[in-house]
Amino acid sequence: DKDKGGVSISFYEPGMEEAAKRRAMIESELRSALIDERVEPYFQPIIDLETGEVIGFEALARCRASDGSLLMPDEFIPIAEQSGLISRLFLQVLKKGCLVLRHKPPHMTMAINLSSLQLSDDWLAEQILAILTETGVAPGRLEVEITETALVANFEAAHAMVTKLKRQGIRISLDDFGTGYSSLRHLSELPFDKLKIDKSFVARLGNDEASDTIVRTVTTLAHNLGLKVTAEGIEDDAHVSFLQGIGCEYGQGFLYGRPAEASRRRVTEDAANED
Ligand code: C2E
Ligand code: CA
Ligand code: CA
Ligand code: CA
């Protein structure tokens, strides 16, 4: 069962008690993984849709459980948030991500996901900068992703955080766009660099007139606000042609590559060289 990835308990029934047990198990796995540095980024390429070149990566958290199985973020991120571990998790993913990014060509960027709970973390900007300095990564190569839902739920905190990070030269993307209910005011008052169209709309391109219209309209709106657009969840060539046709700049999805472990060699060498 180890190899199935994502599920480390084989026999559990979806009862309340079982769910509570699994939750407790994940929390304890997460705590020990943070101590042993078994929380790590998987990297998914982001492509320039015009040239087909890789312009960077999104770092997506994975947690290696003590039995070797891989826990997935849809399950452990909410638990990390509820148990006060989200900030440590973020910093561990950021640090490991930067150790990989610094060996990539300097034009490449790394995107990383921020939890809504981190928007009011007064230390976050300093902690990010310390890691960038320590790993030698220029702030302009880091892109912090904030979901539309988090933005709407905490507009004032998001405003303050985005302003602070932008002042340091870090880029900001508005993630999962189309799933929240942001207004033009939300969009125009914050200095975002990019807008990421949620994969649920991209998945329906071509079979659903409404999705085509939404994706086209959102792209135009973003361009009018001076933002670049990334479409996530690109799975086939038809998606690509449609997105190229409407001038969407960047794309990400299984068509180009699934999130994958960075090759461990460079990182391990670094760790050895640093001591
Ligand atoms: P997200 O930020 O929207 O990340 C994109 C998710 O879509 C990833 O799932 C990725 O594997 C998946 N995906 C990419 N391309 C395709 C595609 O073509 N088709 C389909 N069906 N899916 C695709 P993943 O890695 O399981 O992450 C799920 C969510 O967990 C992320 O959604 C993000 O909200 C959250 N997450 C991941 N890492 C972190 C983290 O370090 N911190 C925080 N706060 N949240 C994280
Ligand atoms: Ca994201
Ligand atoms: Ca997303
Ligand atoms: Ca998502």
Side-chain angles (χ1 to χ4, degrees), residues 18-34:
E18 293 306 320
K21 274 189 198 153
R22 178 149 179 102
R23 195 207 161 283
M25 186 278 281
I26 302 283
E27 182 181 333
S28 108
E29 284 291 347
L30 205 51
R31 282 185 193 281
S32 57
L34 284 166

Side-chain angles (χ1 to χ4, degrees), residues 115-169:
S115 155
S116 63
L117 295 186
Q118 295 177 277
L119 290 174
S120 41
D121 179 346
D122 289 336
W123 292 100
L124 183 72
E126 279 96 331
Q127 288 171 320
I128 293 177
L129 277 185
I131 289 176
L132 292 174
T133 306
E134 184 189 341
T135 56
V137 169
R141 299 181 71 191
L142 185 68
E143 231 170 69
V144 168
E145 298 192 351
I146 297 174
T147 65
E148 185 188 25
T149 309
L151 171 76
V152 173
N154 317 272
F155 184 70
E156 294 315 320
H159 191 288
M161 183 60 74
V162 169
T163 308
K164 209 165 165 186
L165 295 175
K166 284 291 290 184
R167 217 183 287 130
Q168 308 291 346

